Amino acid sequence: MAHWRLWFLVLFLACCGMIGFAMYHQIYNWVMPCLMCVYQRLAVIVFGLLSLLAVFWKPGSRRGVMVLGTLLSLATLGGAASAIWNLRLQYGPADPNLACASSLPFPIDLNDPDWPHWLVALIRPVGSCSSVDFTLFGITMPALVLVTMLVLLGLTYALCARRNRELKRKFWV
């Protein structure tokens, strides 16, 4: 039974590592996030917080597993969609109708002095989505995020399916 909590703790820590990796490169290497990068970060943060919720709350019903699995899946699919769009802007043909720059509207007013400085630094879009500022082993950051989101989606499905089998077995015993 501890596998559920342990796996979601690992997923939470992986999300913390991903955000830490992004912040390290933003602060020390001046790799500034674009609007799509911010959306990818928000998807990772939401997935991490939901994983932390799963560490402390192990659903006792199949409906609870379905709700948690759906929320986790939506977070990964949102991150994957923004990563795909970012890759489209980086590697697709130049299209003047497509735009992703720091001048685009962001749904949160980050000039409000009530926002903590560290949070503003984490989610302020500054860079351009069409430029490739960072590669790791020849792979750009959106491609890494896309692969990671697909892996997180697969792990979410596997963990929720396993929990549903446990609940089904417990129901019949």
Side-chain angles (χ1 to χ4, degrees), residues 42 106-124:
L42 290 175
F106 191 63
I108 302 171
D109 180 21
L110 296 174
N111 295 323
D112 187 5
D114 293 335
W115 285 97
H117 178 69
W118 62 269
L119 182 63
V120 172
L122 178 67
I123 63 172
R124 181 181 297 277

Side-chain angles (χ1 to χ4, degrees), residues 4-21:
W4 174 272
R5 296 188 202 302
L6 180 65
W7 272 105
F8 278 108
L9 180 63
V10 167
L11 291 177
F12 170 73
L13 293 174
C15 290
C16 289
M18 289 173 65
I19 295 298
F21 181 79

Side-chain angles (χ1 to χ4, degrees), residues 10 17 26 30 47 57 68 85 93 97-98 101 103 111 114 122 137:
V10 167
Q26 178 179 338
W30 289 94
F47 186 88
W57 174 63
L68 184 63
W85 187 257
N97 296 328
L98 296 176
S103 62
N111 295 323
D114 293 335
L122 178 67
F137 307 119

